[in-house]
Amino acid sequence: MADAAQRLEDIRARIATAAVRAGRDPSDIVLLAVSKTIPAEAIAELFALGQPSFAESRQQEADAKLPSVPSGIDWHFIGHLQRNKVRKVLESFGTLHGIDSLRLAQHVSSVAGELGLRPDLYLEVNLAAEPSKHGFDPDVLRAAIVELAQLPNIQIRGLMGIPPEEKSPEAARRWFADLRKLRDDLALQSGAALAGLSMGMSGDFQIAIEEGSTIVRIGSALFGKRSYQES
Ligand SMILES: *Cc1c(COP(=O)(O)O)cnc(C)c1O
């Protein structure tokens, strides 16, 4: 117990320090606790300590775990979303971070309409055009943003990105800055609010906050090292 409380307090303090250093209000940054591979008890423990928002990246794992966690958690889905999993995911998750095509967003909007839901979406961008990663190509996103913003049953909150593997957190800074610039361009171009930037993980969240992140997705720094490598 003491351990989890300590880690949570430590992460919150580091978020606040980075925010203040950048002249930002720490309360503008949401801490998302990435609980993939983490058992339900540890999620319940952190929730009881006052951490409201959690994220999972695999629908099957979430399916097995969610029935045993407390209700009232603000759940975010951060994995790659397959079309045939959309209905299932929308039943449990209010925010989806891995939307990477217009076609997928249209499908989410249509299923959300059937379910009477209006989920929050972050559009994932493949910043460095890495073949191993999902995400919109920035130019494809520019061409699609007006249509995306008009889909009726979703609320586009902003962009999400994972920088390529770099030698240091500092080297990731330019990718975070690129995502912020793209967000600003798209907001101008489309008139969509697009306030959100889902960027920064355990190793680089302070840099991401300095570059404008509004949601940091933190797993290992909160829960300890994961016992298996997720794909
Ligand atoms: C696992 C994961 C994270 C958290 O990674 P840590 O390095 O453990 O903080 C963040 N975002 C996504 C999309 C992930 O899959």
Side-chain angles (χ1 to χ4, degrees), residues 34-193:
V34 177
S35 53
K36 63 190 180 198
T37 80
I38 302 302
E41 305 79 68
I43 297 172
E45 181 185 17
L46 208 61
F47 182 64
L49 288 166
Q51 168 59 31
S53 301
F54 289 80
E56 292 282 336
S57 58
R58 288 172 171 175
Q59 188 267 329
Q60 262 180 316
E61 181 186 337
D63 236 25
K65 225 152 57 174
L66 263 54
S68 3
V69 302
S71 59
I73 290 180
D74 166 37
W75 278 111
H76 295 233
F77 191 80
I78 58 171
H80 178 61
L81 186 58
Q82 290 165 292
R83 272 177 82 80
N84 61 350
K85 300 273 173 68
V86 165
R87 184 172 302 268
K88 199 94 221 202
V89 165
L90 284 178
E91 283 167 359
S92 309
F93 295 84
T95 306
L96 316 181
H97 293 238
I99 303 300
D100 61 358
S101 72
L102 176 57
R103 193 165 163 268
L104 179 61
Q106 287 166 331
H107 184 59
V108 170
S109 178
S110 131
V111 175
E114 287 167 31
L115 295 172
L117 300 170
R118 195 156 190 266
D120 289 329
L121 264 50
Y122 287 84
L123 305 170
E124 182 171 3
V125 178
N126 191 347
L127 290 163
E130 293 172 280
S132 63
K133 281 204 185 125
H134 297 286
F136 276 96
D137 169 87
D139 289 330
V140 171
L141 181 52
R142 281 190 187 90
I145 189 64
V146 171
E147 209 172 331
L148 282 160
Q150 286 168 349
L151 291 171
N153 306 311
I154 56 171
Q155 182 74 43
I156 295 182
R157 292 291 178 192
L159 305 184
M160 180 269 212
I162 306 170
E165 197 125 351
E166 294 283 6
K167 290 200 182 66
S168 72
E170 187 54 44
R173 182 184 296 279
R174 68 183 181 106
W175 299 109
F176 295 134
D178 279 358
L179 194 64
R180 186 190 65 228
K181 277 189 225 115
L182 178 62
R183 189 274 312 268
D184 293 348
D185 288 353
L186 293 170
L188 260 183
Q189 182 197 331
S190 70

Side-chain angles (χ1 to χ4, degrees), residues 34 36 57 78-79 97 124 160 162 200-203 217-222 224 226 230-231:
V34 177
K36 63 190 180 198
S57 58
I78 58 171
H97 293 238
E124 182 171 3
M160 180 269 212
I162 306 170
M201 308 180 15
S202 291
R217 309 179 310 268
I218 299 187
S220 46
L222 261 179
R226 283 180 293 276
E230 74 295 333
S231 61

